[in-house]
Amino acid sequence: DAGITQSPRYKITETGRQVTLMCHQTWSHSYMFWYRQDLGHGLRLIYYSAAADITDKGEVPDGYVVSRSKTENFPLTLESATRSQTSVYFCASSESAGLGTEAFFGQGTRLTVV
Amino acid sequence: GQQVMQIPQYQHVQEGEDFTTYCNSSTTLSNIQWYKQRPGGHPVFLIQLVKSGEVKKQKRLTFQFGEAKKNSSLHITATQTTDVGTYFCAGRQGAQKLVFGQGTRLTINP
């Protein structure tokens, strides 16, 4: 089906482990974003990408790594998970960023680090 | 860097009352977007404002963009239980980053 999908939907991992959250979109949107959502902080931008092989830091990039070898995929890796990275992670995509087309969000991944 | 501040953080109203959330940016925005997130769901786009002083309406929802393009508001007239959720504003500075405010969580007493 067309759209933007995230996997897994739920993940529990241990402190210090590496974990990768997947994001896939079928629209060939140029822009993709990763946000984390925590109570009291709203949606904070972790990383974004303007196109394949072009990524840039957002507001809270420390402890995260992204890649974008293909337009449709934008995985987010926590290199060594910490409890402070327990959060709900949302991936989003948009067609362009000129005068701002809407962003489409995935269903989210709830990550718990124990 | 760009900051988008949104107030209030929480708002509880009786059904039928009006509701307003405000969004302020530290820098001039290219445009501002509003999203709604239902409990347990993901943010969904509502509207985009581009022009200075722009006002747009969607049924009971009225969106405004400030003259200086640094602030915006969302007003809901006569709230209904279907309006429950968290409302976010999001701004772009320049052309790339889409930065969200902290959101206003609206709860309604039927």
Side-chain angles (χ1 to χ4, degrees):
Chain A
D1 290 340
I4 180 165
T5 55
Q6 294 183 234
S7 61
R9 291 293 311 279
Y10 303 91
K11 176 74 176 178
I12 300 175
T13 192
E14 294 178 341
T15 301
R17 289 194 178 269
Q18 182 181 82
V19 59
T20 296
L21 309 184
M22 304 302 292
C23 180
H24 176 79
Q25 52 105 354
T26 60
W27 295 301
S28 298
H29 283 171
S30 297
Y31 283 81
M32 295 189 75
F33 308 86
W34 273 107
Y35 295 90
R36 59 177 292 173
Q37 184 172 30
D38 306 289
L39 201 62
H41 292 279
L43 293 160
R44 290 184 291 177
L45 182 63
I46 304 171
Y47 270 95
Y48 65 102
S49 169
D53 297 322
I54 300 175
T55 62
D56 206 349
K57 296 178 180 179
E59 303 166 276
V60 288
D62 293 345
Y64 303 94
V65 174
V66 293
S67 61
R68 194 158 177 216
S69 56
K70 294 184 178 181
T71 299
E72 60 266 30
N73 296 322
F74 191 38
L76 176 73
T77 298
L78 287 67
E79 294 185 294
S80 177
T82 65
R83 289 183 180 174
S84 64
Q85 292 177 310
T86 292
S87 186
V88 179
Y89 290 85
F90 285 101
C91 177
S93 72
S94 68
E95 184 176 353
S96 69
L99 276 184
T101 55
E102 66 181 279
F104 294 87
F105 281 79
Q107 299 295 321
T109 295
R110 183 174 293 275
L111 175 68
T112 302
V113 183
V114 298
Chain B
Q2 175 185 333
Q3 283 191 321
V4 178
M5 308 297 291
Q6 197 172 345
I7 56 170
Q9 191 172 355
Y10 302 97
Q11 184 77 57
H12 180 76
V13 301
Q14 290 289 126
E15 188 174 15
E17 291 182 340
D18 291 356
F19 159 78
T20 305
T21 174
Y22 301 91
C23 184
N24 294 287
S25 172
S26 56
T27 58
T28 301
L29 299 170
S30 304
N31 59 74
I32 195 153
Q33 298 178 346
W34 285 92
Y35 291 77
K36 177 183 178 180
Q37 182 179 25
R38 294 184 186 277
H42 59 280
V44 175
F45 176 82
L46 292 176
I47 207 163
Q48 175 176 278
L49 304 171
V50 177
K51 299 177 182 177
S52 170
E54 189 170 13
V55 178
K56 287 188 175 181
K57 292 190 176 184
Q58 288 181 348
K59 298 183 180 178
R60 293 178 294 103
L61 278 62
T62 301
F63 304 84
Q64 293 187 328
F65 200 10
E67 293 291 341
K69 300 184 76 173
K70 287 188 174 182
N71 57 75
S72 181
S73 65
L74 158 60
H75 180 80
I76 302 178
T77 302
T79 55
Q80 300 175 358
T81 54
T82 53
D83 295 325
V84 164
T86 301
Y87 293 85
F88 292 97
C89 61
R92 289 188 197 263
Q93 183 189 27
Q96 300 208 348
K97 287 184 185 179
L98 183 61
V99 177
F100 283 75
Q102 298 93 326
T104 297
R105 183 181 173 191
L106 173 64
T107 55
I108 298 174
N109 198 21

